[in-house]
Amino acid sequence: MKISRRAFIKTSSAVAVASAFSRVAQANASITPDDYKALVVVFLNGGNDAFNTVLPAPGTAEWKAYRKVRGTVALGRKEIFNSQCKGIYPSSSGSVLSLDDLYLNKHLVALKPYFKKGDASIILNSGPLIQPTDRNNYDYVAKPKQLHSHNSQRKYWYHGMDVVNKNGWIGRILDNFDLEGSSARALSPSFGIPSINALRGDRYNPIAYKASTKSSEVGVKQNQLEGYKGADRLKESYEEHLNKRKRHYSNLYSRTVSESMRDSEFNNARLKELTGDYSDPDDLEYDDSDMIANFESVIALMKANRENAKGDLGYERQVFFINMGGFDTHGNMKERHPELLTTLAEGLDYFLKKLEDENLMKNVVTTTMSDFGRRLSPNDNGTDHGWGGHQLVFTHRDNFMYPNTAVGVWPEVGKKGRNVTDTQRVIPTVCSDQVNATVSRWLGCNEEQLNTVFPELKNFDDVMIEGSEFTFDELVVPRPEVAYTDDGGETMTEPHPLYWDFLKS
């Protein structure tokens, strides 16, 4: 279904790889914003075990099903805490829903204050989908290719369901914006830390970089070359391509690499200066935390952008895509997963506090994404690749359409649950493009632009549980009234049309 025109959505760092900063001539940018908004994506590389991150309330039927199917990796009541975010729970018939608390892994406890204030929410069971899918139609509906493969599923999160497009969905969204003075700026409005796949577009070339910690260095490190026979030649080649600026290479590859390295080094110095100027000297104790270093550089670039430091920035929109690795927990999950969640929570807590300090919470949406969730049944002490998973979202509570209420429906799992395959992989109930379209609408895109970037949206309607007549029970989560002006100029109201829209404009 098309997104209704009346749908109301409360709408550095060391450069690690060569990055191009030239602007390509843009076609048809039509949005000229006059406010500041930023999107921050934290991509949990490897496939986060979402079902040991967000959990059903103890004592519910869903909790019993969770404990049974998770076996050796199941968490107990003392290993979770109440998020105070309500979730919609289905019945086996799909006709009656109930509302109950959702719980979080105790290693995310640093995020508890944001959930308590309503500055955080949960997107339940999202993932790549071509059309609504469940156990009943699984064998004959179109499904994403190479399910459960890291590279294939990341492509859907990076590019949207339109994976044949060489550009990322965020890059294609930014292509619609005519950002003030962008043609004269030296730096980009989008930054990948370090991946830029989702950010590639035709108008703004993203910058890929790796945030610096106190102990990090730029360039070729001697300890990385120990034992390598060609170490001396590699270092010599690196220095030659970087420093011999007047040398003209006859070989196109060498010439391109040399130019890219020089551009990268030049802009590395610029980014390092910018992030250094706007970093908080009181944060020195965090200097060896990679995640906090990433968020520190994001905050610094936001502050530099606000003041248009050295004329390099000054954009009305910024996007940051942070990669955090290590989530492919095939083994040793009970030890490794808590460490990862602790690192994630500490980084997000640091970042959100800084946003509050800078009075930017209303201007920034931060969301997690991941390749996929994990398979529900364990493989002894770990979990294999799955499909659907839960995501966390953070912004000021005034931006949420349903404060303190999760988006979507808790999946029906169990042995023959409608949202699980025979191999205990959870089938998403919210398409990843629905999530991406919501944040894109918040950034300022209109219906036509969203349907161009996310053509598969037309396959999804407002049925919360596919196959049932149920759409949205106002006794469970009342839909807010949406005001709009009809063709005669009269102001009208109607219920919010799409349950999966979770942000206001």
Side-chain angles (χ1 to χ4, degrees):
M1 134 178 188
K2 275 190 165 185
I3 295 181
S4 165
R5 66 181 174 82
R6 296 188 298 231
F8 181 84
I9 305 176
K10 243 184 175 182
T11 58
S12 86
S13 304
V15 175
V17 297
S19 48
F21 293 98
S22 62
R23 302 302 191 279
V24 195
Q26 164 67 4
N28 308 322
S30 59
I31 306 170
T32 306
D34 58 5
D35 59 351
Y36 174 76
K37 290 183 178 181
L39 170 64
V40 179
V41 175
V42 183
F43 197 87
L44 309 180
N45 260 312
N48 177 43
D49 195 305
F51 291 90
N52 268 22
T53 303
V54 180
L55 301 94
T60 61
E62 289 74 18
W63 172 257
K64 294 176 183 176
Y66 160 82
R67 291 280 298 168
K68 182 176 181 179
V69 73
R70 298 250 72 184
T72 57
V73 300
L75 300 179
R77 294 183 183 226
K78 293 184 179 180
E79 297 175 285
I80 60 178
F81 69 91
N82 191 336
S83 71
Q84 300 184 28
C85 184
K86 299 290 185 181
I88 300 175
Y89 291 75
S91 70
S92 58
S93 66
S95 60
V96 179
L97 299 189
S98 60
L99 196 66
D100 210 331
D101 293 324
L102 293 168
Y103 280 64
L104 294 174
N105 191 303
K106 71 175 185 179
H107 295 280
L108 294 174
V109 70
L111 303 176
K112 188 174 183 178
Y114 305 100
F115 280 92
K116 184 177 181 180
K117 290 185 294 185
D119 292 343
S121 189
I122 299 166
I123 303 170
L124 290 172
N125 195 29
S126 65
L129 285 172
I130 294 175
Q131 62 189 88
T133 306
D134 63 13
R135 173 183 285 274
N136 297 326
N137 65 10
Y138 182 83
D139 291 333
Y140 59 83
V141 298
K143 293 182 286 294
K145 295 180 179 179
Q146 295 182 294
L147 281 172
H148 326 310
S149 158
H150 287 294
N151 289 338
S152 298
Q153 299 311 295
R154 282 177 192 155
K155 283 182 180 178
Y156 291 115
W157 283 105
Y158 291 163
H159 297 270
M161 299 309 298
D162 185 17
V163 291
V164 296
N165 198 306
K166 64 181 176 63
N167 290 332
W169 70 268
I170 297 176
R172 302 202 305 278
I173 288 297
L174 284 180
D175 284 345
N176 291 290
F177 286 86
D178 185 14
L179 301 179
E180 177 66 28
S182 57
S183 60
R185 307 283 184 223
L187 298 179
S188 172
S190 60
F191 297 83
I193 313 174
S195 173
I196 59 173
N197 292 294
L199 306 177
R200 295 185 187 277
D202 290 329
R203 183 177 178 81
Y204 305 104
N205 289 319
I207 299 173
Y209 73 99
K210 185 177 185 299
S212 300
T213 61
K214 184 177 181 180
S215 58
S216 66
E217 300 174 27
V218 182
V220 179
K221 299 180 185 179
Q222 183 61 44
N223 64 356
Q224 293 175 325
L225 303 176
E226 290 178 1
Y228 175 55
K229 293 181 180 180
D232 290 342
R233 176 57 191 148
L234 179 60
K235 290 185 67 178
E236 180 183 336
S237 177
Y238 176 87
E239 296 296 336
E240 176 183 298
H241 280 80
L242 184 62
N243 295 325
K244 293 190 176 180
R245 299 175 183 271
K246 295 182 180 180
R247 178 166 183 168
H248 297 286
Y249 291 95
S250 59
N251 180 284
L252 176 62
Y253 176 79
S254 293
R255 187 165 64 248
T256 301
V257 169
S258 177
E259 290 172 355
S260 295
M261 288 177 66
R262 292 198 302 269
D263 288 344
S264 179
E265 189 75 3
F266 175 76
N267 287 289
N268 167 35
R270 179 171 291 171
L271 277 171
K272 191 171 183 180
E273 181 181 0
L274 278 175
T275 54
D277 288 346
Y278 288 90
S279 294
D280 190 337
D282 294 333
D283 291 340
L284 292 177
E285 72 256 38
Y286 299 123
D287 276 354
D288 281 322
S289 168
D290 287 338
M291 271 307 283
I292 290 180
N294 290 336
F295 283 120
E296 184 179 16
S297 63
V298 170
I299 283 289
L301 286 167
M302 286 180 175
K303 291 162 68 175
N305 182 77
R306 181 170 58 194
E307 298 184 23
N308 191 15
K310 305 182 188 304
D312 289 332
L313 295 165
Y315 294 104
E316 297 88 353
R317 296 290 183 270
Q318 284 186 299
V319 178
F320 302 88
F321 198 98
I322 299 173
N323 279 264
M324 178 182 175
F327 285 89
D328 198 14
T329 50
H330 288 284
N332 200 30
M333 181 179 149
K334 292 280 275 188
E335 291 74 30
R336 182 66 182 137
H337 197 232
E339 294 173 357
L340 292 164
L341 294 184
T342 298
T343 300
L344 173 66
E346 289 176 350
L348 285 167
D349 179 41
Y350 167 87
F351 179 59
L352 296 170
K353 284 177 179 174
K354 292 295 181 181
L355 289 180
E356 290 176 338
D357 291 345
E358 297 297 327
N359 198 28
L360 286 171
M361 275 297 278
K362 287 189 177 181
N363 304 90
V364 180
V365 168
T366 303
T367 182
T368 65
M369 296 179 181
S370 192
D371 316 28
F372 36 64
R374 312 297 292 187
R375 187 181 173 193
L376 288 176
S377 53
N379 60 7
D380 189 19
N381 65 350
T383 51
D384 294 328
H385 301 173
W387 189 357
H390 313 309
Q391 317 301 339
L392 307 179
V393 186
F394 304 89
T395 188
H396 192 278
R397 56 191 168 275
D398 290 348
N399 287 337
F400 283 119
M401 187 62 74
Y402 310 110
N404 301 107
T405 304
V407 183
V409 182
W410 187 267
E412 183 190 323
V413 291
K415 189 173 182 180
K416 294 292 183 180
R418 68 181 298 135
N419 303 122
V420 69
T421 67
D422 288 337
T423 57
Q424 290 300 303
R425 290 178 168 95
V426 179
I427 304 168
T429 47
V430 175
C431 178
S432 51
D433 275 5
Q434 291 174 287
V435 179
N436 299 341
T438 296
V439 296
S440 300
R441 190 63 175 268
W442 175 78
L443 285 170
C445 285
N446 61 34
E447 176 187 356
E448 180 182 358
Q449 292 159 339
L450 292 180
N451 282 306
T452 299
V453 176
F454 306 110
E456 303 298 338
L457 282 179
K458 65 182 182 297
N459 297 336
F460 297 89
D461 57 22
D462 200 24
V463 176
M464 298 186 76
I465 302 177
E466 185 64 20
S468 77
E469 295 181 357
F470 182 87
T471 56
F472 204 107
D473 185 345
E474 294 194 4
L475 296 176
V476 176
V477 184
R479 294 193 190 205
E481 289 292 312
V482 180
Y484 67 95
T485 303
D486 66 9
D487 295 337
E490 185 177 354
T491 300
M492 310 287 288
T493 61
E494 65 179 19
H496 185 273
L498 301 172
Y499 82 87
W500 45 267
D501 285 345
F502 56 91
L503 295 175
K504 300 178 184 176
S505 61

